[in-house]
Amino acid sequence: LKYDLRDIGEVGLAARHHLDSAQVRHLLVPVGVELCGEGEEVRVELQLTLASTTSGATAVNVRGSISGRFNVVCARCLGTAPVVVDEPELSLTFMPPSDKSPAEREELNEEDLDTFVHDGVRIDLEPVIREQLVLAIPITPLCSEDCKGICGGCGVDLNQASCACKEASSPATTWAAALSRLKETNN
Ligand SMILES: [Zn+2]
Ligand SMILES: [Zn+2]
C-alpha cells in the first residue's frame, strides 16, 4: 500500500487493491476494532497524481473509491454486526513533509483528519484506507435494528431466550476510543 513518488510520474498511477480478511484485520486490529467472523473484503480503486503546492513542493492527489464489507461485534449481544464501506468519491491530498514541529502537526491533524503527509519519497495508503473503514463503523454497531442484547443481570442472549431478571442491560460502546486511536496512527 506504499507508492514511490517517482513511480507516480507525469501521467499518474492507478492504485488497485482487493484486501482480504487478513489484510482488513491488519488494518483494524491495531486501532482496537474487534472483528467478528470471516468474509471481509475491501476494494480500493484510487488514482494517484502529482501536484504542486503554492510553495512549489510536491503533493499527491488521491481520488477514487473504497468499498467493501466487514463484520464487527454487535454492541448489544456480541453477535455479528455487518459494516458496509461505500465511499465512491474519495478525494484527498498528501502534503509534503512540513517544517512544523511534531506538536503543531498533531494539532493540524486533529482539526482535519483528511490531512495526510508524505515523507518526500513515498506515500502510504494504509492510514487512508484505515480511516475510511473506521468511519464506516456506526457508533453503536448492531447485528440488527431490533437486537435485544444480553441481559445485564444473568447474561442470557435476549434474542434467543428470555429471563426473569428486571435489570436492563447497558451495552458499552468502544468505537469512540477506536476513533481517537485512529488519529494517533495517522501521524
Ligand atoms: Zn446483537
Ligand atoms: Zn437476565
Side-chain angles (χ1 to χ4, degrees):
L1 298 175
K2 291 187 168 76
Y3 287 86
D4 199 302
L5 298 191
R6 284 171 307 183
D7 292 338
I8 300 172
E10 296 277 303
V11 291
L13 190 68
R16 291 202 180 87
H17 297 277
H18 188 179
L19 307 182
D20 62 16
S21 284
Q23 288 164 306
V24 173
R25 212 161 273 273
H26 169 79
L27 286 171
L28 291 179
V29 169
V31 287
V33 175
E34 266 187 275
L35 290 171
C36 188
E38 290 290 317
E40 288 83 14
E41 60 167 341
V42 172
R43 280 182 187 282
V44 178
E45 305 221 0
L46 298 172
Q47 186 69 26
L48 315 178
T49 51
L50 295 183
S52 281
T53 65
T54 45
S55 60
T58 301
V60 182
N61 288 326
V62 177
R63 288 198 168 74
S65 65
I66 296 178
S67 61
R69 62 188 67 244
F70 56 96
N71 300 308
V72 297
V73 178
C74 173
R76 288 186 195 152
C77 75
L78 307 184
T80 302
V83 176
V84 173
V85 187
D86 183 20
E87 174 47 73
E89 290 181 359
L90 186 71
S91 176
L92 57 94
T93 302
F94 276 82
M95 297 304 286
S98 70
D99 45 15
K100 289 189 169 62
S101 70
E104 283 175 307
R105 213 179 299 164
E106 200 168 299
E107 231 168 77
L108 279 178
N109 271 341
E110 251 161 350
E111 282 166 20
D112 184 6
L113 262 179
D114 285 339
T115 303
F116 294 91
V117 179
H118 65 70
D119 61 4
V121 180
R122 56 188 186 173
I123 64 168
D124 185 0
L125 292 178
E126 191 174 300
V128 174
I129 300 166
R130 176 183 289 123
E131 179 177 299
Q132 290 303 315
L133 301 191
V134 171
L135 290 175
I137 304 172
I139 300 294
T140 307
L142 296 176
C143 59
S144 75
E145 286 290 327
D146 53 358
C147 173
K148 297 190 188 74
I150 289 174
C151 172
C154 69
V156 78
D157 184 343
L158 296 172
N159 295 310
Q160 285 164 24
S162 55
C163 69
C165 300
K166 295 196 174 73
E167 194 181 328
S169 65
S170 55
T173 56
T174 56
W175 307 118
L179 262 176
S180 68
R181 258 170 290 179
L182 168 77
K183 290 182 188 173
E184 287 165 26
T185 59
N186 277 347
N187 291 329

